[in-house]
Each structure stands twice: as C-alpha cells, then as structure tokens.
Amino acid sequence: MINDIPSVIVSRLVFDSTGCWLWTGPKSNGYGQLVLDGITKPVARVVYEISFGPVEPDLEVVQVCRVRYCVNPTHLTIMTQALATELRSLGSVRLDKTHCPTCGRRRFKSFKRRIKAEQKAMRIEVLEIERSLQTILNASNRSHQR
C-alpha cells in the first residue's frame, strides 16, 4: 500500500509503533495539508483516494485512530459530514479501540453500528448506480447491433 503513495507524501511521513503514518508537513487545525496543482487539500483525503478511489465531495475522510495528522489508509474511513461532526464532538476517543481499558466494557457500539450502516447504504447505492449503468450500456449495445 505504501508503494502506491507518491514520494512527495512518503518523504514527509513518520511511522510510529501504533501503525499511524504521521504527517510532518504543513497542518491546519492539526490536519495534514498538501498543495497539489496550486490547491490545498487534506493529505488524508489524498491518500484515501489514491488507496481506495475517489470520494464524493459531500463525504469526509476521518481517522478512526483519532490522530488528526495520521494518513495510514487502514486508519481512514469515509462518512457523512453530520456523522463526522458528531465524532469530533467525542474528542480524542479512538474508535479502533472497542473496550474501555479500565472496566473492560464495550464502548461506542451504537456509534460504530451507525457508521457501518451508513457505509453499507453507500455501497448499496453505488451498486444500484453500477447496475443502472450496465443496463443502459447493454441496451445501447443491443441497439447498435441492429
């Protein structure tokens, strides 16, 4: 996965023992920033799009490890702005940690369920769009064959 990331990004990363890829370049509010073609973009979004493909403009790329300047693709997920805002309101809670270190109770179960449901809905929507496009292409091909 690191091989897919451009050297201009990799050269500004520090890899820590928790698996985070820490951005050492410019930051805004703690989030890594990168100028590409004269446009400032969040580094996490750039890395996510390199690793997994384009992200809709109305979705946000969020660090599940809760380290704002982490750009490890396995620590990144996408969600709606409303859900991301709610997550930020929780502070420095790490969603990748499922149990409280003190009492051992599960935490954030309902929040994680909502994230998974939202992501599933997005995948279903993408599949429906792909099916519609395939139907249109098939119909177009049939009409050209006549």
Side-chain angles (χ1 to χ4, degrees):
M1 193 169 281
I2 189 77
N3 297 334
D4 299 331
I5 311 299
S7 60
V8 67
I9 295 175
V10 175
S11 66
R12 293 183 169 190
L13 297 178
V14 171
F15 304 92
D16 78 1
S17 60
T18 64
C20 287
W21 299 2
L22 304 175
W23 176 253
T24 61
K27 297 177 186 81
S28 174
N29 293 327
Y31 294 95
Q33 302 290 308
L34 180 66
V35 177
L36 291 174
D37 301 323
I39 300 170
T40 302
K41 297 183 178 189
V43 181
R45 188 177 192 94
V46 172
V47 170
Y48 187 93
E49 289 182 341
I50 290 168
S51 302
F52 303 111
V55 175
E56 294 293 321
D58 59 334
L59 296 176
E60 290 193 28
V61 175
V62 177
Q63 292 86 347
V64 295
C65 62
R66 306 303 295 137
V67 178
R68 290 181 177 190
Y69 52 99
C70 175
V71 298
N72 181 338
T74 63
H75 292 196
L76 303 175
T77 191
I78 56 172
M79 60 181 66
T80 61
Q81 185 176 10
L83 205 54
T85 301
E86 188 176 337
L87 176 62
R88 277 192 289 279
S89 73
L90 295 174
S92 62
V93 170
R94 289 181 58 135
L95 291 181
D96 57 338
K97 302 296 181 191
T98 58
H99 293 78
C100 174
T102 308
C103 67
R105 284 186 25 207
R106 289 186 60 79
R107 57 184 181 174
F108 313 115
K109 202 172 180 180
S110 63
F111 192 79
K112 286 183 179 182
R113 248 190 246 124
R114 286 180 33 224
I115 291 171
K116 286 184 192 247
E118 192 175 271
Q119 290 172 335
K120 182 178 180 182
M122 284 188 275
R123 283 193 300 272
I124 289 170
E125 188 176 313
V126 167
L127 288 174
E128 288 172 355
I129 292 169
E130 287 175 348
R131 281 189 206 117
S132 297
L133 288 173
Q134 191 61 48
T135 303
I136 293 168
L137 288 172
N138 290 342
S140 175
N141 287 340
R142 275 181 275 186
S143 67
H144 283 0
Q145 290 174 353
R146 293 180 190 171

